[in-house]
Amino acid sequence: MCGIVGYIGRKTAAPILLEGLRRLEYRGYDSAGIATHADGRLHLCKRRGKIAEGLARALASDPLPGTVGIGHTRWATHGPPSDTNAHPHLDASGRIAVVHNGVIENYAPLRSRLEQAGHQFRSETDTEVLAHLIGVEYERTPADSPDGRPRLLRAVEQALRQVIGTYGLVVLCQDEPGLLVGARRGSPLIVGLGREENFLASDCTAIVAHTRQVVYLNDHDLVCLGAEDFRVFNLEGGSSRVEISEVEFGAEEAELGGYAHYMLKEIHEQPQTIRNALRGRLDHAEATARFGGLNMTPAELRAVDRIVIAACGTSWHAGLVGEHLIEEFAHVPVEVEYASEFRYRNAPLDKNTLVLVITQSGETADTLAALREAKRRGHRVLAICNVVGSTIAREADGGIYLHAGPEIGVASTKAFTSQVTVLVLFALLMGRMRMMSPAHGLAILRELEALPEKIEQVLAQEPHIRAAAERFASCHHFFYIGRQWNFPVALEGALKLKEISYIHASGYPAAEMKHGPIALIEPATPTVVIAPRGGLQEKTLGNLEEIRARHGPIIAVGTEGDETLAERSDVFLPVPAEDGPLFPIVGIVPLQLLAYHIAVLRGCDVDKPRNLAKSVTVE
């Protein structure tokens, strides 16, 4: 949600900022803006709408000068999308510019106080209130300081002590042009280190074309950034510990690479991302998995007698598959919680409960809050995460990285299959510590190694899946059904369709259709049935027949060569895998492609669907 880029160096800032903002478009936004400093004053340009149609066009006709600046893509929280509500925002004097991610929860009383003091506001945003507050503190702050800390830093520090809420922010002042000040609490902010130039950003993707050396700021950190140096402080005025990290991916991995959309590229990357998730983690000699970052001894893992998984969205669906995997392989009871609900519940957690949080970005606000609540109550928390150096990755007691590379399409695809792959490995490890036989463990390892090739076979069927999309792209409602570990596949398939095509879609356990939803079945309402051969297929086929009897079209995902299922469906999408707990990793791929092609045929913006953001850093 929202994006921040800051630059200070020797080059013209505006083109660098604009490029960084374009790389952050995937996060979701409705307006964008840039402020620079040159000729002793601030220069500002901000526009509603897409960068190409608004900000970039305005800058092409009237470029902003200066070698220091800040940029922002806004996702509306306070006030509708407009040029006025777009960031950056200025203080009352017009000498200070602020870009901000997050929510200032007490902005209303702060605004009221400032209005009583004579301040006039141009926008409806909480960020403009913050800008005015910083301006007030700047006027009150003496120019000289015994500890040598810049006046702007001290003013930001004083303002933030009055703020309740979350922020990742960057401040530029016309009186201190060789300085950017950044701060974070609950919303990510990263320092990028270059040669005679430095950067600030909310996401590595924005700056990876210029540097891969970064510092991940912690909550309550403030940073003073010059062209050749930086210093990090905490909100109490002391110095903070700094660790320089290297970004795992390069700029080329964040490019389209010949694909029409990032989502399509990421669907096709899944054979490789699953190989990445497996690399170095398969132990054939012991018929188990091994991890380097759990930070738990075998004895501590054996002592776990309950697992609670907390996640949001697609990661929650992966957690539902993980529940089946861990209970099937290790016989350890698992509960999957919405992170947004877990953080507010007084859920009983026994002494030997392990909390597992799942997140692609590592910055999801509700998941981070669930992690902190579990740790506050004294429980060990492990994280499954894709972004090295993210807040959740750093605050968890241990964890597992996906190594899936940057996922830029808002609708998650490769992160889901990588998350489930890692959950298979974790369930295998827990199972082999308990009652799972070596033969069973080896069989799972062989299935895991076969996954990339099976997914490649599904990807080869894309023309057939596109033909199915053409047949049903005009429909307004879809149902998805599955059983056991394929019920989460139904949920995830439905989510993908509604995220990017804006078609209403719902996922259900197959047997639940007749408990209400079947009343909505009609010839224009297709049902996607996930029914691989084996297991409970016969039961699912019974549900399929109930839908057919009411003239509902059937799109079936099942085992390759299953003539029975093919004959009973209007469209059959074959998958080279039998029913089993690993089926979701392959079975979701045709549903990803189906959603993608339906959305393209409907003329939707696949990578940047309306109202959505890639990294949800507010409640």
Side-chain angles (χ1 to χ4, degrees):
M1 277 185 173
C2 305
I4 287 174
V5 188
Y7 174 79
I8 184 166
R10 305 287 181 259
K11 302 170 186 172
T12 302
I16 295 170
L17 297 172
L18 187 64
E19 176 203 8
L21 294 180
R22 282 178 169 141
R23 290 180 178 274
L24 292 176
E25 286 187 284
Y26 75 95
R27 293 175 66 93
Y29 73 104
D30 48 55
S31 58
I34 286 174
T36 63
H37 181 279
D39 308 318
R41 65 185 183 91
L42 297 182
H43 302 259
L44 184 66
C45 181
K46 51 185 187 174
R47 294 290 187 275
R48 176 186 174 180
K50 299 298 183 185
I51 289 172
E53 300 161 4
L55 182 63
R57 188 173 295 174
L59 290 174
S61 60
D62 188 13
L64 296 186
T67 60
V68 57
I70 56 178
H72 189 266
T73 51
R74 176 180 185 254
W75 188 86
T77 56
H78 297 76
S82 69
D83 290 356
T84 303
N85 285 333
H87 297 212
H89 287 285
L90 303 178
D91 76 323
S93 72
R95 294 154 54 205
I96 292 174
V98 177
V99 293
H100 162 235
N101 292 349
V103 173
I104 306 302
E105 295 174 10
N106 64 333
Y107 88 100
L110 289 172
R111 179 171 179 142
S112 177
R113 189 181 84 196
L114 290 164
E115 286 175 332
Q116 289 173 14
H119 287 248
Q120 295 182 344
F121 292 92
R122 300 176 181 86
S123 77
E124 302 167 68
T125 68
D126 55 339
T127 302
E128 190 184 6
V129 175
L130 180 59
H132 279 238
L133 187 63
I134 293 171
V136 169
E137 294 302 330
Y138 192 78
E139 293 297 328
R140 293 175 178 170
T141 301
D144 297 323
S145 170
D147 59 10
R149 293 187 305 138
R151 180 182 178 187
L152 182 61
L153 173 76
R154 287 177 283 130
V156 172
E157 185 179 279
Q158 290 300 322
L160 293 181
R161 287 175 179 164
Q162 304 169 54
V163 162
I164 299 171
T166 58
Y167 50 80
L169 62 92
V170 185
V171 185
L172 171 64
C173 178
Q174 75 175 34
D175 299 336
E176 301 183 56
L179 176 70
L180 290 178
V181 171
R184 76 152 283 175
R185 181 184 182 275
S187 191
L189 193 65
I190 299 160
V191 179
L193 305 176
R195 292 184 177 180
E196 297 187 327
E197 60 182 7
N198 287 317
F199 306 82
L200 282 165
S202 54
D203 189 314
C204 294
T205 308
I207 59 175
V208 73
H210 303 282
T211 180
R212 295 175 70 170
Q213 300 295 309
V214 298
V215 174
Y216 297 94
L217 298 181
N218 296 309
D219 276 357
H220 307 291
D221 277 350
L222 295 98
V223 60
C224 289
L225 193 71
E228 298 182 359
D229 62 349
F230 73 101
R231 290 181 291 168
V232 180
F233 304 91
N234 57 48
L235 199 52
E236 302 308 314
S239 296
S240 288
R241 186 175 65 87
V242 170
E243 181 179 342
I244 298 175
S245 305
E246 182 159 341
V247 179
E248 273 197 331
F249 61 91
E252 66 283 352
E253 293 178 69
E255 301 293 345
L256 276 170
Y259 287 93
H261 297 93
Y262 282 107
M263 183 180 178
L264 184 62
K265 176 191 177 190
E266 288 154 11
I267 290 171
H268 280 264
E269 286 176 342
Q270 287 174 113
Q272 186 56 48
T273 55
I274 288 173
R275 292 186 184 101
N276 293 346
L278 296 176
R279 187 173 294 116
R281 292 170 172 168
L282 306 184
D283 186 342
H284 290 85
E286 299 294 331
T288 188
R290 58 171 177 258
F291 297 105
L294 295 183
N295 299 330
M296 293 181 71
T297 66
E300 289 171 329
L301 287 167
R302 288 189 197 96
V304 171
D305 55 24
R306 180 178 173 228
I307 295 174
V308 172
I309 297 175
C312 304
T314 286
S315 297
W316 186 76
H317 297 156
L320 291 176
V321 180
E323 178 181 22
H324 284 284
L325 291 164
I326 295 167
E327 291 184 347
E328 177 83 9
F329 293 176
H331 291 190
V332 175
V334 179
E335 296 171 48
V336 183
E337 299 268 2
Y338 286 109
S340 56
E341 293 294 320
F342 174 82
R343 63 183 294 191
Y344 295 117
R345 289 181 55 210
N346 188 23
L349 299 179
D350 300 330
K351 177 182 177 183
N352 294 323
T353 298
L354 174 68
V355 177
L356 184 63
V357 297
I358 307 175
T359 166
Q360 190 282 134
S361 69
E363 303 292 350
T364 309
D366 289 314
T367 308
L368 178 59
L371 177 151
R372 289 172 173 169
E373 173 63 13
K375 290 188 70 173
R376 187 192 64 78
R377 294 169 64 174
H379 292 276
R380 190 182 295 266
V381 181
L382 301 182
I384 294 176
C385 179
N386 190 37
V387 180
V388 175
S390 61
T391 305
I392 287 174
R394 286 181 287 129
E395 292 196 16
D397 296 302
I400 307 167
Y401 284 119
L402 303 181
H403 301 301
E407 187 179 65
I408 292 174
V410 167
S412 181
T413 52
K414 64 179 181 178
F416 174 79
T417 51
S418 293
Q419 287 167 347
V420 177
T421 300
V422 163
L423 285 163
V424 173
L425 291 169
F426 182 73
L428 173 61
L429 174 68
M430 297 292 284
R432 287 289 289 126
M433 287 182 169
R434 287 163 172 79
M435 74 293 297
M436 180 184 284
S437 69
H440 189 187
L442 283 172
I444 293 167
L445 292 178
R446 286 193 292 269
E447 286 186 63
L448 284 166
E449 290 175 313
L451 287 173
E453 183 178 346
K454 290 180 178 180
I455 291 176
E456 286 168 354
Q457 292 176 41
V458 174
L459 294 172
Q461 301 174 35
E462 188 171 353
H464 172 58
I465 296 169
R466 190 183 190 284
E470 290 172 348
R471 182 171 175 179
F472 296 106
S474 61
C475 296
H476 300 294
H477 305 279
F478 275 70
F479 286 109
Y480 288 68
I481 61 173
R483 288 177 180 264
Q484 292 182 299
W485 36 75
N486 291 318
F487 164 51
V489 177
L491 291 174
E492 177 62 10
L495 178 62
K496 290 287 93 64
L497 184 67
K498 57 191 166 192
E499 278 182 315
I500 61 172
S501 72
Y502 318 136
I503 294 172
H504 171 259
S506 297
Y508 289 94
E512 291 299 306
M513 280 294 288
K514 56 183 170 286
H515 294 282
I518 202 168
L520 301 175
I521 293 298
E522 59 182 9
T525 303
T527 299
V528 178
V529 180
I530 300 110
R533 195 157 42 200
L536 296 175
Q537 190 196 44
E538 286 299 321
K539 298 286 186 184
T540 308
L541 289 176
N543 305 126
L544 181 155
E545 292 294 353
E546 292 165 356
I547 295 166
R548 288 184 68 200
R550 289 153 181 84
H551 308 293
I554 299 292
I555 303 169
V557 177
T559 308
E560 192 173 53
D562 188 340
E563 296 299 332
T564 301
L565 183 60
E567 289 169 0
R568 298 184 186 187
S569 57
D570 296 276
V571 172
F572 178 53
L573 304 180
V575 173
E578 299 288 341
D579 187 36
L582 273 65
F583 183 87
I585 301 171
V586 185
I588 190 60
V589 178
L591 302 187
Q592 294 170 344
L593 287 169
L594 181 69
Y596 169 80
H597 283 292
I598 287 176
V600 169
L601 289 164
R602 291 170 68 95
C604 300
D605 190 342
V606 174
D607 286 333
K608 299 183 284 292
R610 68 189 184 203
N611 303 333
L612 296 181
K614 184 64 180 174
S615 180
V616 183
T617 55
V618 297
E619 291 188 57

